Amino acid sequence: MRKIRLGVNIDHVATIREARKTYEPSPVHAAVLAQLAGADQITLHVREDRRHVNEKDLELICKVVNIPVNLEMAPTKEMQEIALKNKPYQITLVPEKRQEITTEGGLDVISLKEHLKDYLKPFKKAGIKINIFIDPDKEQIKAAKEVGADAIEIHTGHYANAKTEEEKEKELNKIKDAAKFAKSIGLKVYAGHGLTYQNVQKIAEIPEIEELNIGHSIVANAVLLGFQEAVKKMKELIEKASK
Ligand code: PXP
């Protein structure tokens, strides 16, 4: 049977930590628990504005987990230095805009082609796998191959956000066609963004897809699934002290 790897993105554990600029919850602890629960990879996005995880989290996660670490990053000089210093198993190039709430679309590899050819050389030399997050578009996929990517991650956000059944079907077909094409030219095919318990299975059924990277929905459900335990423990401590 085909096995799809699950990369668990722990960014939003750090989003909760950063809401108070404190030490908890730690994305490093979340990475360890994800590994214990069967995650195949830990994914994190160190952003220019460090709104959630930072280089220290990356450094610690690379040291403590025994599964691949996938660093999502914008193709900038600063991020190149951080990645080469920490040597994750894989980098995933993503576009980054300061004002966006989350990554809004795939990287425009076509317009960055010349930059990326040189930019990616040190990663190749260091043996770090290269994945590029792109929209399900043939020309972008060809460009990803040309710049030397090992894999593409198809942006599933438009599928996830589709409102009607017709729209969903249309977006799903784009992903299916893109997956087929990418594999036919020798790229590994991954997917991610906006995947939830409700929409993941249609994507996981696509035969060419080898890896899914999922974050927000897992963290959201983790908060709710652990909520009762967390309240009970606080009650117990208060009751013990007030006896
Ligand atoms: N893949 C990539 C390239 C991303 O940028 C993100 C968001 O950081 C994800 C997957 C995970 O998306 P979500 O948090 O919506 O599951």
Side-chain angles (χ1 to χ4, degrees):
M1 212 184 82
R2 185 172 70 101
K3 181 184 178 282
I4 301 190
R5 293 187 302 279
L6 171 62
V8 176
N9 180 316
I10 46 71
D11 290 348
H12 295 309
V13 175
T15 303
I16 301 176
R17 176 188 66 189
E18 294 305 309
R20 284 293 174 91
K21 302 266 175 238
T22 177
Y23 61 90
E24 66 177 1
S26 162
V28 183
H29 294 167
V32 172
L33 291 175
Q35 177 182 320
L36 285 172
D40 301 291
Q41 169 168 285
I42 299 301
T43 296
L44 68 165
H45 183 178
V46 178
R47 281 180 168 267
E48 185 199 6
D49 63 8
R50 308 295 193 272
R51 66 175 73 161
H52 37 57
V53 289
N54 55 42
E55 320 57 331
K56 191 77 194 158
D57 298 319
L58 170 68
E59 187 191 330
L60 291 171
I61 287 170
C62 285
K63 284 194 176 129
V64 301
V65 301
N66 301 312
I67 48 179
V69 174
N70 170 35
L71 174 63
E72 295 174 359
M73 50 179 259
T76 62
K77 183 84 192 121
E78 183 202 18
M79 287 312 306
Q80 188 185 47
E81 281 165 14
I82 291 172
L84 291 170
K85 186 170 155 223
N86 290 284
K87 294 199 171 47
Y89 171 78
Q90 173 173 279
I91 55 162
T92 298
L93 296 183
V94 296
E96 215 173 275
K97 285 190 220 127
R98 270 187 172 240
Q99 305 307 325
E100 68 191 357
I101 292 174
T102 181
T103 315
E104 284 167 356
L107 190 71
D108 183 357
V109 191
I110 297 169
S111 66
L112 289 170
K113 210 147 79 179
E114 289 318 307
H115 167 63
L116 290 180
K117 279 182 186 163
D118 272 348
Y119 185 82
L120 291 173
K121 280 181 190 156
F123 293 99
K124 291 251 172 215
K125 208 164 156 212
I128 297 170
K129 301 276 179 227
I130 299 160
N131 177 29
I132 309 185
F133 183 60
I134 51 179
D135 289 324
D137 176 289
K138 230 176 177 178
E139 296 310 313
Q140 295 289 356
I141 297 170
K142 280 190 207 159
K145 176 77 183 168
E146 276 175 51
V147 301
D150 299 292
I152 56 152
E153 179 170 332
I154 302 174
H155 178 36
T156 51
H158 299 301
Y159 160 71
N161 293 332
K163 295 276 177 286
T164 62
E165 282 309 311
E166 201 183 8
E167 214 185 313
K168 263 186 221 158
E169 185 77 16
K170 197 175 116 205
E171 293 301 332
L172 189 62
N173 284 334
K174 277 193 210 164
I175 296 168
K176 286 180 181 170
D177 291 346
K180 238 186 231 142
F181 178 68
K183 186 160 183 187
S184 79
I185 62 168
L187 288 162
K188 289 185 177 298
V189 186
Y190 310 154
H193 213 281
L195 297 178
T196 63
Y197 295 152
Q198 285 72 39
N199 64 22
V200 71
Q201 289 185 307
K202 287 262 184 276
I203 298 295
E205 281 168 8
I206 300 173
E208 291 82 9
I209 293 180
E210 297 180 33
E211 174 180 308
L212 296 176
N213 286 294
I214 306 181
H216 182 267
S217 180
I218 291 177
V219 175
N221 281 287
V223 169
L224 292 186
L225 294 172
F227 215 84
Q228 281 178 293
E229 279 308 308
V231 173
K232 272 187 210 156
K233 181 155 183 184
M234 190 60 85
K235 277 285 277 189
E236 269 168 31
L237 286 168
I238 293 168
E239 274 162 19
K240 239 188 232 167
S242 56
K243 257 186 197 148

